[in-house]
Amino acid sequence: MSDDVPVTAAPEKPRRGEETSDPAAGRPSDRPWTALWVSALALPPLALLAAASWFGRWVRPGADDWCFLPAVRDDGVMGLVGKFYFDDNGRVANALLVGAYAKFQVAGHQWYPLISGALVLAVLWAVAVLALRRARLRTPRGLPLLLAALSTALFLFVTPNTYKTFYWPAASVSHTLPPVLACAALIPFLLARSRRGRVLALAVAALMGAFLATLSEETAIVVVVVLLTALLLSGRVVPAPDRGFVRRWCAAGIAGTAAGAVVLITSPGSTRRRDRFGAETTSLLAPDSLTASLRAFAEIAVTVATTWQYVGAVAAGVLLGLLCRRADGTPPRPPAHVPLLIAAGVLALLVSGYLCTVIAYPVFGDRVSDPGANRLWNDYLLLYVILLVGAGALLGMALRRHPRRTAPAKAVCAALCVLVCVGPAVALTNLETAMRARAEKWDAQDRRLREGAEAGKRVLPYERLVISNMLEPFSQGGRSYWPGGCVADLYGLDRVTDGTRDAP
């Protein structure tokens, strides 16, 4: 994909005199050196993503994975879909994606980080290129890739628990991939120029909304809040020729999400889940629950806001604001109604984040704000990163009014884009060591359990192999058996016993 963003869908023939007089030629953002150092800044986050994907070979099943593996092996993907719809939670789209990797058993878990990481990068890169093109802005080659790569690294690796965000497929399918898929729905929207293209964009928005509603309730909430915000602002910030299409697209996304929510809420599995965790409407809206959710979300907001690495998103946005230009080579002006846009973005983030906490609180309780439950934050964390990039772009445009300050600003932002990758790199190295140690023990135990089952044994000891606060059989001091039954099903045993207590 080329990321040298053109101004528009370029005309087939240049206008008269365009070949010899380009007012933008020779400007700093056109020079090869600019494209070179901007592209070089994308290498650290890309290297981080490549290393993390390579470390995926040490991923082994745990927690819910123990239950998915025998279910897909015995009943296939559609069997898992039926189980989710009728028994577990009603998330049929979630079951499809879980079945897609569980079908390949352990190998599916090992390949998942590579595939999901590449998907996140590709979607964000495509959206960056098309958004800049739609805004009729030109940038140095490599800048859209920098925006996408750094946003991907911040989203996936600057978290309290990278394992649950990136390496645990079950959590990634439920909370990490959904906001990225929501961004993917922007691609046909940004490409739509003809009547047919707009119809396709509307259809994709409706279908993606329905899919997301049966994939992740939290992401569906974020999508609806963002689309409602865009719908309300469209009368003031969207040009009149595009206003009707934008409103129809937002309405299609909201309608599709509502339809998917009906399928989810009315499913037997969702009813059972609400009964099991006491998450009926009355308990969700109880004053005590709403107050506790607000307190938990405030703790989450403080944790995220004080994670300094997210300043890298602002730095990348500042570089965008400093280096982009219009067709005539002049710097773009900040969009109209900047205060309104900023206020709307912050409000959408806070409202969606709080509502996500509200619906998660009955299940997780006060643990919803613990670092171990950080996967629940990912549904609105990508929105946070994108808003930071946008804020940085506005800041960069403002700095262009003071030419003497642009060079130091570029240097500082370039340094920040590199520095924010250092901490995650160290954390990933330590995590890889822990993952490799667990994988070696897991493989040895896997052989022992399979050999014991083949020898006709019906009960065998299981040693807990915990990583990154993942649940294992015999947790809570051995009082909790879950998911020991699923482990026994996978190996064809009647049950497993606590290997730690059984050891001499």
Side-chain angles (χ1 to χ4, degrees):
M1 179 187 298
S2 174
D3 55 12
D4 186 12
V5 182
V7 178
T8 61
E12 297 181 359
K13 294 182 180 181
R15 297 177 181 176
R16 181 176 298 178
E18 226 175 27
E19 306 90 337
T20 57
S21 59
D22 181 6
R27 293 182 180 272
S29 56
D30 285 311
R31 296 170 186 168
W33 166 244
T34 303
L36 182 62
W37 69 261
V38 168
S39 300
L41 290 179
L43 294 180
L46 289 176
L48 201 62
L49 180 61
S53 300
W54 174 245
F55 297 159
R57 71 191 191 279
W58 302 120
V59 174
R60 297 297 185 272
D64 303 68
D65 300 327
W66 287 117
C67 299
F68 299 151
L69 290 175
V72 175
R73 179 197 61 194
D74 298 338
D75 301 321
V77 175
M78 295 312 298
L80 186 65
V81 171
K83 185 175 185 298
F84 272 42
Y85 182 78
F86 291 105
D87 299 323
D88 290 349
N89 49 41
R91 302 172 187 160
V92 291
N94 195 296
L96 285 173
L97 294 186
V98 168
Y101 72 78
K103 179 180 180 180
F104 300 98
Q105 299 293 292
V106 176
H109 293 70
Q110 295 171 333
W111 280 97
Y112 183 87
L114 172 62
I115 295 172
S116 63
L119 177 63
V120 175
L121 177 64
V123 168
L124 295 184
W125 188 8
V127 170
V129 170
L130 295 175
L132 290 171
R133 178 181 299 173
R134 194 64 181 254
R136 300 182 179 181
L137 296 176
R138 298 183 67 91
T139 65
R141 186 178 297 274
L143 186 54
L145 177 59
L146 170 62
L147 297 174
L150 196 57
S151 297
T152 299
L154 295 175
F155 176 53
L156 296 178
F157 308 126
V158 182
T159 71
N161 195 322
T162 296
Y163 191 91
K164 290 185 177 180
T165 293
F166 183 63
Y167 288 111
W168 185 20
S172 176
V173 162
S174 297
H175 302 287
T176 304
L177 278 189
V180 178
L181 295 178
C183 287
L186 286 169
I187 295 176
F189 170 78
L190 295 171
L191 285 172
R193 297 186 182 279
S194 64
R195 179 181 177 83
R196 181 177 299 178
R198 294 190 172 191
V199 170
L200 176 62
L202 294 176
V204 170
L207 292 175
M208 184 60 78
F211 186 84
L212 290 173
T214 56
L215 177 64
S216 170
E217 297 98 317
E218 290 85 355
T219 296
I221 286 176
V222 176
V223 166
V224 170
V225 170
V226 171
L227 290 180
L228 281 175
T229 303
L231 196 59
L232 293 174
L233 294 180
S234 61
R236 300 190 64 179
V237 303
V238 179
D242 299 325
R243 193 173 299 156
F245 171 57
V246 170
R247 288 175 171 173
R248 289 192 298 272
W249 186 80
C250 293
I254 295 171
T257 306
V262 170
V263 173
L264 175 72
I265 294 172
T266 58
S267 68
S270 179
T271 302
R272 290 189 178 188
R273 179 179 173 84
R274 293 195 299 271
D275 293 340
R276 186 163 64 250
F277 292 104
E280 300 87 356
T281 303
T282 53
S283 63
L284 280 175
L285 301 180
D288 291 345
S289 179
L290 293 176
T291 302
S293 299
L294 181 60
R295 182 171 57 251
F297 178 63
E299 294 173 357
I300 295 170
V302 170
T303 300
V304 173
T306 55
T307 302
W308 75 270
Q309 285 91 346
Y310 288 119
V311 74
V314 179
V318 171
L319 289 177
L320 171 62
L322 290 174
L323 297 175
C324 67
R325 66 189 188 280
R326 296 185 296 192
D328 58 3
T330 59
R333 296 178 180 178
H337 309 293
V338 169
L340 177 62
L341 291 173
I342 294 175
V346 173
L347 187 61
L349 176 64
L350 295 177
V351 170
S352 60
Y354 173 61
L355 292 178
C356 287
T357 309
V358 167
I359 67 170
Y361 187 82
V363 178
F364 290 87
D366 293 334
R367 294 184 297 110
V368 73
S369 59
D370 291 346
N374 74 296
R375 64 189 184 279
L376 302 172
W377 315 348
N378 293 337
D379 298 276
Y380 50 89
L381 191 58
L382 183 59
L383 175 62
Y384 176 63
V385 173
I386 293 173
L387 289 177
L388 289 180
V389 173
L394 294 176
L395 179 59
M397 292 179 186
L399 286 174
R400 295 179 83 158
R401 301 176 182 176
H402 310 280
R404 294 183 179 180
R405 301 180 183 178
T406 56
K410 291 176 187 176
V412 171
C413 291
L416 286 173
C417 289
V418 176
L419 288 176
V420 296
C421 296
V422 175
V426 174
L428 270 176
T429 302
N430 296 334
L431 180 59
E432 189 263 349
T433 301
M435 290 168 57
R436 177 162 47 183
R438 179 179 186 266
E440 293 171 352
K441 293 180 180 180
W442 195 97
D443 292 341
Q445 179 162 256
D446 178 66
R447 289 190 297 269
R448 177 176 61 79
L449 292 175
R450 292 187 184 279
E451 291 170 356
E454 291 175 359
K457 296 182 178 180
R458 308 306 303 167
V459 178
L460 288 171
Y462 175 86
E463 179 186 355
R464 298 179 67 236
L465 301 173
V466 181
I467 184 170
S468 297
N469 297 317
M470 291 279 288
L471 286 177
E472 281 279 288
F474 311 108
S475 61
Q476 300 178 0
R479 296 187 301 274
S480 176
Y481 182 58
W482 186 90
C486 298
V487 175
D489 291 341
L490 179 64
Y491 293 106
L493 303 171
D494 291 338
R495 64 188 304 270
V496 293
T497 60
D498 190 346
T500 303
R501 295 188 176 186
D502 294 343

